[in-house]
Each structure stands twice: as structure tokens, then as C-alpha cells.
Amino acid sequence: MPVVSAAVCPHPPLLVPEVASGAAGDLDDLRAACLSAIDHLSAADRLLVVGSGVAQQQYDGAAAGTFGAYGAPGVRVGAGDPVLPLSLAMGAWLIEQTKAADLPRTYLAVPADASPAHCLELGREIAAGNDRIGLLVMGDGSARRSEHSPVHLHPRAEMFDTTVANALDRADSAVLAALDPDLAAELQAAGRAPWQVLAGVLEAGLTGNLTYHAAPYGVGYFVAAFT
């Protein structure tokens, strides 16, 4: 099977200490979980990073991203003009601090409103390739988990995130594939489309292990590793 390992991480810019400033320590546990999950991708021959974006687009490994919009203009990844959406820039930043940093990589942005069927087909195409791929899937859960969330509390947010967490832990492709895009949009769950790409990959068989699930700022964050 060409996808030899996979990881799921969230993409809050606050994971970058220069962005979080004095609050950087608040996400130490989440940052450590992300780096550990990505370390497991180092046995692959190359990395593919999948995250949400405005349109579907593939970028090569030299593509750049910046955190200037989040108050840290000196923190960037890659070279050239910053073209990576936040999800992929955050993935690149995390990779650079792991054992997988030296592997060649490509990035794939998936439209946030992509249909489940399209996402699943993308995942199946990835799984059908010939390379030994380490897949990093970037995505946040609901941004409506508390009254202090970026958007006000939604009564279905916690159940939605719990469903995702359980599916990741069990590598349950059917549950991930069945996530409702309209509900995910209402809950502002940015990871829905990337997780459904992962669902297409998981149909070929990987074992999951959820290592982090919390909503420290009213946004659901998950970390999982698959082998």
C-alpha cells in the first residue's frame, strides 16, 4: 500500500510561539502531540500535505507561506511569494521541526466546499499511487465549542467533534465519509474536506490512534496517527 503512514493535525496559528507570544505555553501539549504524530511519517519516501483552501491546487515543496497576517511577519516557510493557505503553511511549519523535515514533499489544497464524493475520490487516487507516501492531513474541528469560541456556541458542535474523534481513533472511513458538509460549514469545522480525503485513503486499510482531542479556545483540535 503506497500510503505507509498518515497523521492528522489542526492548524491554529497559535501553535507558532511567535504568534502566541505570552500564551505559547497554553498549547505545549497540542504542539508536542503534532510533532510526535508527524515524526511517524519519516519512514515514508515523500510527504503529501493536504489542507483546506479556497480552490483545489497543488504546490511543490518549495512553496512558501507566512504568518505575517497573525502578527509574526518574521516567521515563514518555503521560498518565494507566500502562496500557501494557512492549513498548508501550518503543516509545513510543523514538519520542519520533526524527523520528516528532510523528506521531499508536495502540498494539496482542497476547497472547503468540495463535495464528499470528490474528496473521497482524491483520497482513493492518492492511495492508488506507487510512491511510499506519508500523508499529513490538516484540519480543525468545530469553531463553535463554547461561548468563548470564534463563533458562538452551537448545540451540535461537541457531538460533531466527538464523532470525528472516535472515527479518527478507529480509522473509520465510513463515518468520516458520511460527515455532512452543510453541518460542518454551519459549525465552521475547517477539517471536513481534508478528513474526507483521508477517508478515501483509509478505505485501503490503516490503523488509527487518536492522541489528542480538546477545545482549549472553543475550537476542536485533533491529533491522530495512522500506520
Side-chain angles (χ1 to χ4, degrees):
M1 151 139 161
V3 177
V4 295
S5 56
V8 167
C9 292
H11 50 72
L14 287 172
L15 281 172
V16 179
E18 292 86 346
V19 173
S21 189
D26 294 350
L27 294 183
D28 280 352
D29 290 348
L30 174 57
R31 192 180 302 107
C34 289
L35 299 182
S36 178
I38 298 171
D39 275 343
H40 289 294
L41 305 181
S42 61
D45 292 335
R46 70 178 183 89
L47 302 179
L48 173 61
V49 187
V50 177
S52 60
V54 175
Q56 184 167 322
Q57 188 164 351
Q58 187 161 325
Y59 305 89
D60 66 27
T66 179
F67 294 91
Y70 304 97
V75 181
R76 59 178 291 134
V77 293
D81 295 332
V83 295
L84 294 177
L86 172 62
S87 62
L88 300 181
M90 195 69 243
W93 184 87
L94 288 168
I95 289 168
E96 287 300 319
Q97 300 169 75
T98 70
K99 298 175 183 177
D102 293 333
L103 292 179
R105 74 184 82 138
T106 53
Y107 304 94
L108 176 63
V110 181
D113 61 354
S115 71
H118 179 69
C119 295
L120 286 167
E121 186 56 34
L122 284 175
R124 290 164 183 153
E125 290 174 3
I126 293 167
N130 295 319
D131 295 340
R132 288 170 45 84
I133 294 172
L135 179 68
L136 175 57
V137 178
M138 305 297 296
D140 294 352
S142 174
R144 305 187 66 175
R145 287 283 297 273
S146 80
E147 291 294 350
H148 304 291
S149 302
V151 187
H152 288 309
L153 174 68
H154 192 290
R156 298 181 67 182
E158 185 172 357
M159 180 58 70
F160 177 90
D161 280 359
T162 298
T163 298
V164 172
N166 290 338
L168 293 174
D169 195 39
R170 299 193 304 265
D172 193 329
S173 60
V175 170
L176 293 174
L179 293 174
D180 182 348
D182 293 331
L183 177 60
E186 183 178 345
L187 298 178
Q188 298 203 4
R192 192 275 306 173
W195 297 330
Q196 289 184 320
V197 174
L198 173 66
V201 172
L202 292 179
E203 289 177 349
L206 284 173
T207 300
N209 179 29
L210 183 74
T211 59
Y212 184 99
H213 173 209
Y217 296 116
V219 182
Y221 298 143
F222 315 95
V223 180
F226 303 84
T227 54

